[in-house]
Amino acid sequence: MKILIRILLGLLTVLLIMMTIVAIRFNLDKNDPYSNEIEENKIPKFEKIPVGFTQQFNKEKSLPVTASVLIDINNDGVDELFLGGGYDQQDELLGYKNGEFISISKEVGLPDKTNLSSLAGASTDLDNNGFSDLIVSREDGVTIYYNTNGKFQASKLDYDLAGNATPLGLTFGDVNKDGFTDIFVANYIRKDQMIGQNNFSKTYGPVSQLLLNNGDNTFSDVTTKSGLEYVHNTFMGIFVDIDNDSWLDLIVAHDTGEVRTYKNKGDGTFAVMPNPTTGKYGYPMGIAVGDYNNDGLVDFMFSNTGSTVPTFMASGNIDDKSLFNPDWIFFENQGGFVFKDVSEETLTKDFEFSWGAVFADMNNDGLQELIVAENYVAFPPHKLFKLPGRFLVQKADHTFAATEARSGVVNPNYGITPLVSDFNQDGYLDMVWVNLDSPISAYINNGGENNYIKVKLADNANDLGAKVQVVTESGKRLTEDYVVGEGLTSDQSSTLHFGLGSEKAKSLSVKYISGKTFDLDAPITNSIITIPSLYPLDTLTTE
């Protein structure tokens, strides 16, 4: 009996030591690890406004994510905000009117749901009727809400969902250039089949799926023959032209694994290409997509457990601990499918546990900020001590400075992803923290004197994946890729935003995946350029 008591006391002591280590590390995490100074006039400032929606998380039934989508349902240039309800909660669609968000779910015909969690969402015009459709994944599969002039009609996507799979991230694009939109569904293991939270087994999880459009919005599963079959838990993927050859490639974040980069070979197959995470282990979850250094090549940032969780805990059953990387991951695209992890150079490597991430120019200076959601609902220290959520302003030297407190966007909730859109149409991007099991928070940008241009493409197969470039008077080149699914289980605005600083725009060009191009000289600065699908030029409009 005395021996048993000693063993129990010993185990208790070890547990207390572990909890103390985590608590100390967590308290240190609450501070900026870099203290990177930045001029006050570079820091965007925000005013918080109510959203009136609190996500209700059912920890017994649901995976710890929630759907969120920015979608312009009526083509008025202002995004609506779709928020996924928890297992026992209805979804909500909110419109921004007169300085506040109000529910429009009933008037647009958003159907009720029962005993399902809305886990991920995205939008695109699947039926080519000129209105963006809403697509939502839940435990039972994927549902398409076809949009006709601002009214929804639900249709279940007919495809084979494996018995161990929960569909999470959604991304869309025409991968074979046949004029129809294809879907990549990132699958995660079902909640009732999970085995721990740090299981690094090579065979743990379901296969994610590439669904090829048959030309009538029915889909064929071509995962195996396309070379994408891979067994692993997956949070999300993004279709994007990585090497500027006009074919949509695929980049995928595999939880308790690596980031996979796939080159579209143009013959219906994809080739796995090496990157700095190949053969290593981590927790890549959210993906930010953007050309952060304005070199015309798309770059990526991936969230991770960061410095919050001690390596001996986070690395789980990995035999060779040297292969484990808990740090934030930042791929600088160097061309030809060569990537360099520049997280150390950009001063982003040593931040904390994170989820969804987004690149966006929030101060209109021509450099993209990095906004990253934090806090984990199933991590006990986060119940007592919340991380702030990181709002990182990019400086001219391409390092990032944390300004969330000075910007007024500290998020003491279980953040899943940021969303960014110009809700009040003043030319500066506003933002939303999409939170799990806590209130959703929205922030209106106080703006400034810098110029901008916004570009609105058609939201369909012809335009998805297009590369839009704005050249300023001084010759600076700003590039945005038109992608679906950036963040985490979410989708950003389909309006592309370019900050110009004090300059005006000299030219604007669009390169479509078809190879066609659109060029416009002297676009109107501080305007929205609306480009109908593959033009024609005489229908070009500006506002």
Side-chain angles (χ1 to χ4, degrees), residues 41 45 362-364 426-428 445-452:
N41 63 1
K45 305 293 175 62
M362 305 299 287
N363 58 9
N364 282 356
D426 68 348
Y428 276 75
N445 196 326
N446 288 342
E449 301 299 321
N450 284 338
N451 295 324
Y452 68 93

Side-chain angles (χ1 to χ4, degrees), residues 482-532:
Y482 187 17
V483 301
V484 175
E486 183 184 7
L488 179 64
T489 63
S490 63
D491 193 15
Q492 303 296 321
S493 176
S494 60
T495 299
L496 304 183
H497 184 96
F498 299 84
L500 304 176
S502 60
E503 297 190 69
K504 292 184 178 180
K506 179 180 179 181
S507 66
L508 182 155
S509 63
V510 184
K511 181 180 179 182
Y512 298 91
I513 63 169
S514 65
K516 293 183 179 180
T517 59
F518 167 80
D519 297 287
L520 178 65
D521 289 330
I524 300 173
T525 297
N526 298 332
S527 70
I528 303 174
I529 310 295
T530 300
I531 307 173

